[in-house]
């Protein structure tokens, strides 16, 4: 039942609450017991009567419903569309006859012709219905029934994630399930002991975290695959930290136990160093020794998944409008927009109108992981759906709506909200505004991601920073790793509202752009105590002027020449920006800074030059440094003093 406040109606109609209350009294419409709200038929009746009164008072009215086009308002005013377009051009707006224009612009052009623009009678009620639909309703305990668990497989590259998923699917086929060609839809289902488990075929923790960054929590359990012969690797640590940040229970699958060099005990030892104590060692983390290749202990692993799921008491309501999350989506040249969705509540049926992020449409077809068309999908079911207006993003929420029109209106409203959000300044935390947010009580935890060139630096910095915690802010290092700052680090920081601190490392190509898009604060240092001082100063609101390294260009070393009396000269190509003779330089090898210093010479052919721009070759030599190799990247920069301000 639709319900809204008198205050909201007053805002929508640009009237005072007293005026609205008087009109409610004049019309004889009943309010709720608290006298603050209208609901159901009373709400509809009041809106209709109010709109009728406004029509009579204003005379010439143009009514619109949904999208507003030049053609629509021209026909209602009985004016040629060309005349309306001319008026719009004079107002500084270019539009074609079938182009959608905003309500505000349409209202202005209508006023020019002596008309008043209004939404149709039902639009206010629809607006209120839309707001209600965009919020996921809570279920009553009595309506909930058990649902299958949703599992994500994570781990280091080449540790056997894909092989394990294949082994799990084979187990399902072997157990007597109806076979058939498995279609890749981003998810698969298996049955063990008559119970269903859903596996998401996401490409590791990147997708896992990017979805969480968008507010989607789809995974109930994470299986961490660790190779028994390799042990814990950098990506394994990342996966652990991602799962911890998402508060998802972990099951450890120690894979490749059939290999001669397998050492499960070493893996368990290394896991304990990461704060994961397995049950064999007196902890509470379940571990299973498996071999995906030889199909050893696969069923045991699945039983452990069911055990953890039983403890979690996973439930959902199948008898409501369908809601869930988009797992992945693409534009198929034959079928149009195709989305793999996970139904998390309710039941989705063919023909249901739905909205997914900024996309809307009617479900034309549903295809399960076996490539079969199905009519219905209940909770914890992953299906591929056709019929959306455009491609949604992974992590977008989808919801069933009462009709096509409502779905379209919600999608339009979300598109407008998306545009507004893009224009707004990000609320992500940075060191510069830390003190201001602390003072307002907005920040309780300062999450930090640390990347360094060696493990010793990671530990040293972690310990030093965590000691800075005070009554107002607790500093938490959510991830520490060795190597360059990657897109995965940025996504983790974005999802956890963290800042990234790097020591003697640089962001890899593409991660800076992602950081800018996600508004993640990246700070790089070459001296540990400088980072500690910066965070101390930020916490006390006493940041000194910052000396910022402004990158001017990047140069790739392609050849090395040993010249007698000169030393080592690098034959280079400027890949971006420009390099200047006065520039400072840092030499980066595999994402690690190996040297910082100054140029001894900058040449074009045999001539000394002041600068070399992108797309040109040049020769470089460095002051007191010759240990360079082809493939090294030279980053040219200048140091500027920038005054820090607190917003």
């Amino acid at each position: 039942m639709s319900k809204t406040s008198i205050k909201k109606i007053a805002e929508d109609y640009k009237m005072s609450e007293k005026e609205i209350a008087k009109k409610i009294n004049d019309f004889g419409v009943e309010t709720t017991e608290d006298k603050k709200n209208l609901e159901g038929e009373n709400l509809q009746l009041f809106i209709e009567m109010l709109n009728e009164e406004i029509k009579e008072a204003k005379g010439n009215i143009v009514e619109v419903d949904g999208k507003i086009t030049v053609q629509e308002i021209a026909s209602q005013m009985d004016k040629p569309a060309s005349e309306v377009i001319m008026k719009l051009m004079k107002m500084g707006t270019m539009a074609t006859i079938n182009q959608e224009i905003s309500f505000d612009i349409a209202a202005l052009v209508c006023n020019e012709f002596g008309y008043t623009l209004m939404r149709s009678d039902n639009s206010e009620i629809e607006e209120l219905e839309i707001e209600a639909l965009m919020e996921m309703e809570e279920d009553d305990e009595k309506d909930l029934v058990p649902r299958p668990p949703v599992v994500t497989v994570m781990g280091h590259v080449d540790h056997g994630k894909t092989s394990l998923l294949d082994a799990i699917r084979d187990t399902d086929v072997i157990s007597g399930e109806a076979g058939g060609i498995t279609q890749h839809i981003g998810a698969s289902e298996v049955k063990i002991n008559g119970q269903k488990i859903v596996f998401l075929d996401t490409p590791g923790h990147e997708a896992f975290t990017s979805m969480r960054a968008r507010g989607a929590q789809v995974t109930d359990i994470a299986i961490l695959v660790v190779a028994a012969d390799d042990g814990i690797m950098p990506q394994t640590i990342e996966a652990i930290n991602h799962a911890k940040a998402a508060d998802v229970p972990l099951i450890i699958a120690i894979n490749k136990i059939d290999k001669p060099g397998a050492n499960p005990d070493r893996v368990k030892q290394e896991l304990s160093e990461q704060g994961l104590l397995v049950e064999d060692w007196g902890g509470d983390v379940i571990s299973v020794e498996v071999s995906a290749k030889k199909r050893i202990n696969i069923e045991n692993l699945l039983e452990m998944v069911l055990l953890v799921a039983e403890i979690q008491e996973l439930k959902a309501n199948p008898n409501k409008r369908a809601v869930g999350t988009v797992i992945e989506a693409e534009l198929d040249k034959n079928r149009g927009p195709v989305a793999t969705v996970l139904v998390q509540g309710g039941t989705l049926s063919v023909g249901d109108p739905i909205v997914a992020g900024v996309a809307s449409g009617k479900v034309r077809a549903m295809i399960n992981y076996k490539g079969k068309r199905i009519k219905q999908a209940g909770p914890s079911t992953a299906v591929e759906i056709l019929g959306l207006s455009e491609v949604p993003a992974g992590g977008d929420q989808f919801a069933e709506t009462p009709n096509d029109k409502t779905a379209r209106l919600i999608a339009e409203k979300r598109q407008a909200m998306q545009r507004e959000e893009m224009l707004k300044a990000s609320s992500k935390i940075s060191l510069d505004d830390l003190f201001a947010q602390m003072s307002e009580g907005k920040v309780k935890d300062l999450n930090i991601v640390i990347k360094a060139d060696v493990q010793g630096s990671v530990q040293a910095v972690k310990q030093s920073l965590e000691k800075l915690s005070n009554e107002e802010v607790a500093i938490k290092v959510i991830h520490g790793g060795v190597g360059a700052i990657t897109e995965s680090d940025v996504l983790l920081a974005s999802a956890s509202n963290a800042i990234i601190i790097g020591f003697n490392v640089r962001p890899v190509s593409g991660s800076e752009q992602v950081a800018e898009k996600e508004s993640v604060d990246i700070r790089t240092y070459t001296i540990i105590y400088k980072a500690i001082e910066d965070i101390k100063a930020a916490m006390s609101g006493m940041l000194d002027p910052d000396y910022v390294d402004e990158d001017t260009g990047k140069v790739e070393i392609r050849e090395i020449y040993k010249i007698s009396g000169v030393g080592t000269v690098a034959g280079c190509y400027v890949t971006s920006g420009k390099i200047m003779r006065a520039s400072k330089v840092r030499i980066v090898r595999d994402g690690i800074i190996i040297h910082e210093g100054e140029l001894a010479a900058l040449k074009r052919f045999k001539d000394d030059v002041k600068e070399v721009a992108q797309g040109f070759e040049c020769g470089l030599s460095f002051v007191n440094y010759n240990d360079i190799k082809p493939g090294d990247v030279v980053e040219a920069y200048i140091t500027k003093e920038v005054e820090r301000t607190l917003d």
Side-chain angles (χ1 to χ4, degrees):
M1 186 183 289
S2 299
K3 180 178 177 179
T4 191
S5 66
I6 292 169
K7 185 181 178 182
K8 178 74 170 69
I9 298 170
E11 286 172 0
D12 290 340
Y13 282 87
K14 295 180 173 56
M15 295 180 179
S16 69
E17 288 182 53
K18 281 186 179 178
E19 285 178 293
I20 294 294
K22 186 178 182 303
K23 290 188 184 295
I24 288 169
N25 193 47
D26 293 345
F27 295 157
V29 177
E30 290 182 13
T31 57
T32 55
E33 288 182 13
D34 58 8
K35 306 291 183 187
K36 292 181 181 178
N37 299 291
L38 288 172
E39 62 183 4
E41 290 179 2
N42 292 322
L43 172 62
Q44 192 163 355
L45 178 66
F46 178 71
I47 296 292
E48 285 173 2
M49 292 170 80
L50 185 60
N51 285 341
E52 195 63 38
E53 185 182 84
I54 294 168
K55 276 185 191 180
E56 289 173 9
K58 291 187 176 179
N60 290 340
I61 300 289
V62 173
E63 279 195 344
V64 290
D65 184 12
K67 288 184 179 179
I68 307 168
T69 62
V70 172
Q71 178 69 68
E72 187 181 353
I73 57 176
S75 60
Q76 288 203 44
M77 294 190 296
D78 201 22
K79 301 285 182 186
S82 57
E83 203 174 321
V84 176
I85 291 168
M86 288 297 292
K87 282 281 186 192
L88 285 166
M89 286 172 71
K90 286 178 182 176
M91 293 163 57
T93 300
M94 303 296 290
T96 59
I97 191 167
N98 292 315
Q99 188 174 329
E100 187 185 350
I101 56 176
S102 71
F103 184 89
D104 294 337
I105 291 171
L108 287 171
V109 79
C110 287
N111 285 339
E112 289 285 315
F113 289 99
Y115 285 79
T116 301
L117 185 68
M118 286 187 63
R119 297 195 186 276
S120 64
D121 289 350
N122 295 324
S123 65
E124 293 299 325
I125 297 168
E126 282 170 354
E127 284 283 326
L128 301 165
E129 286 176 352
I130 286 167
E131 284 183 13
L133 282 164
M134 288 175 75
E135 294 178 8
M136 302 291 182
E137 67 265 34
E138 289 188 12
D139 297 301
D140 288 335
E141 190 66 36
K142 64 178 188 295
D143 298 327
L144 298 175
V145 297
R147 65 168 178 85
V150 180
V151 181
T152 301
V153 180
M154 305 164 80
H156 189 75
V157 66
D158 294 332
H159 274 205
K161 297 192 294 289
T162 306
S163 302
L164 184 64
L165 277 167
D166 289 344
I168 286 166
R169 292 192 195 102
D170 285 354
T171 301
D172 190 40
V173 173
I174 293 163
S175 67
E177 286 296 306
I181 299 167
T182 300
Q183 181 165 318
H184 180 74
I185 67 160
S188 50
E189 297 175 6
V190 300
K191 275 190 178 176
I192 181 83
N193 301 335
Q195 292 176 275
K196 190 170 80 171
I197 304 172
V198 179
F199 285 88
L200 296 184
D201 303 351
T202 55
H205 49 263
E206 289 89 352
F208 180 85
T209 310
S210 64
M211 279 199 285
R212 194 167 67 85
R214 297 178 64 84
Q217 193 77 353
V218 297
T219 304
D220 300 312
I221 300 165
I223 294 177
L224 179 66
V225 183
V226 188
D229 57 340
D230 275 353
I232 300 286
M233 302 295 275
Q235 273 188 295
T236 316
I237 298 168
E238 280 187 28
I240 291 168
N241 291 326
H242 282 251
K244 281 182 178 176
D247 198 25
V248 172
L250 269 172
I251 295 175
I252 313 296
I254 302 173
N255 194 22
K256 303 185 182 181
I257 58 164
D258 56 305
K259 282 197 153 186
N263 189 349
D265 284 337
R266 179 168 68 91
V267 173
K268 293 171 185 178
Q269 169 65 42
E270 291 172 351
L271 285 166
S272 68
E273 291 167 8
Q274 299 299 322
L276 296 176
L277 202 60
V278 299
E279 288 183 334
D280 297 0
W281 289 35
D284 56 0
V285 178
I286 294 172
S287 71
V288 183
E289 296 176 16
V290 301
S291 168
K293 191 177 178 181
K294 298 283 180 71
R295 308 294 193 259
I296 300 168
N297 275 344
I298 302 299
E299 287 196 19
N300 189 18
L301 177 65
L302 296 176
E303 284 169 2
M304 291 299 111
V305 169
L306 292 176
L307 180 66
V308 173
E310 193 179 328
I311 295 165
Q312 287 183 285
E313 294 184 348
L314 304 169
K315 290 180 178 180
N317 178 8
N319 302 312
K320 66 171 187 176
R321 65 189 179 94
V323 293
T325 303
V326 177
I327 304 301
E328 58 186 37
E330 62 177 3
L331 186 63
D332 189 289
K333 63 180 181 182
N334 297 319
R335 300 183 296 167
V338 178
T340 299
V341 300
L342 177 72
V343 181
Q344 292 173 284
T347 300
L348 187 65
S349 305
V350 172
D352 285 346
I354 65 163
V355 60
V358 296
S360 63
K362 190 177 273 189
V363 180
R364 289 205 323 265
M366 284 197 296
I367 301 146
N368 69 7
Y369 74 103
K370 289 185 176 178
K372 292 180 180 176
R373 292 200 171 213
I374 56 172
K375 294 285 180 72
Q376 287 189 324
S380 293
T381 304
V383 286
E384 197 175 69
I385 61 169
L386 309 179
L388 291 173
S389 57
E390 56 188 279
V391 180
D396 277 345
Q397 303 290 303
F398 84 84
E400 183 189 336
T401 60
N403 49 58
D404 296 352
K405 184 181 172 184
T406 306
R408 191 178 68 251
L409 287 170
I410 294 174
E412 287 169 9
K413 187 165 183 176
R414 284 180 172 175
Q415 283 171 350
M417 287 165 64
Q418 194 178 67
R419 285 194 292 270
E420 284 174 23
E421 282 173 12
M422 285 173 71
L423 295 169
K424 284 181 187 173
S426 173
S427 61
K428 288 281 192 312
I429 196 161
S430 70
L431 276 189
D432 292 332
D433 63 6
L434 175 61
F435 182 71
Q437 292 196 31
M438 281 168 58
S439 304
E440 293 169 18
K442 291 180 183 176
V443 182
K444 300 295 181 190
D445 295 325
L446 176 59
N447 294 331
I448 293 176
V449 172
I450 297 171
K451 294 302 289 284
D453 54 342
V454 292
Q455 190 62 42
S457 298
V458 176
Q459 294 301 324
V461 180
K462 182 182 176 183
Q463 289 167 9
S464 302
L465 292 180
E466 286 178 344
K467 285 177 185 174
L468 298 177
S469 298
N470 57 29
E471 293 176 359
E472 293 172 333
V473 176
I475 293 177
K476 292 181 179 177
V477 176
I478 61 169
H479 175 61
V482 174
I485 298 164
T486 63
E487 290 183 27
S488 176
D489 298 321
V490 175
L491 287 171
L492 176 59
S494 175
S496 308
N497 197 15
I499 63 169
I500 298 175
I501 288 179
F503 292 90
N504 288 329
V505 295
R506 297 287 297 160
V508 298
S509 176
S511 58
E512 285 175 310
Q513 288 88 330
V514 177
E516 191 175 336
K517 184 186 169 190
E518 299 288 336
S519 300
V520 171
D521 192 9
I522 298 178
R523 302 284 173 128
T524 55
Y525 302 91
T526 52
I527 304 167
I528 288 177
Y529 73 78
K530 183 72 176 76
I532 295 160
E533 282 182 358
D534 268 13
I535 290 177
K536 268 186 184 174
M539 289 170 72
S540 60
M542 295 168 62
L543 288 167
D544 295 324
D546 199 2
Y547 293 93
V548 176
D549 293 342
E550 186 180 290
D551 290 347
T552 62
K554 286 188 181 180
V555 179
E556 186 183 325
I557 297 177
R558 294 188 171 179
E559 297 287 342
I560 304 295
Y561 306 98
K562 304 273 186 187
I563 300 174
S564 175
V566 177
T568 305
V569 175
C572 307
Y573 180 80
V574 184
T575 56
S576 65
K578 62 182 177 182
I579 184 166
M580 296 175 286
R581 175 66 183 85
S583 300
K584 293 179 180 176
V585 292
R586 62 176 80 86
I587 301 173
V588 181
R589 187 176 295 161
D590 299 327
I592 309 291
I593 300 169
I594 59 170
H595 174 71
E596 282 199 71
E598 297 174 357
L599 288 175
L602 174 63
K603 291 180 181 285
R604 273 280 294 153
F605 302 108
K606 292 182 179 180
D607 301 323
D608 285 309
V609 290
K610 286 185 177 179
E611 62 180 56
V612 180
Q614 180 180 346
F616 291 94
E617 293 176 339
C618 62
L620 301 179
S621 60
F622 307 95
V623 175
N624 299 325
Y625 193 77
N626 294 317
D627 184 20
I628 50 178
K629 294 179 180 178
D632 288 350
V633 175
V634 180
E635 295 181 347
Y637 66 95
I638 53 174
T639 302
K640 287 186 176 179
E641 185 178 307
V642 179
E643 188 178 339
R644 289 185 176 178
T645 58
L646 295 170
D647 299 329

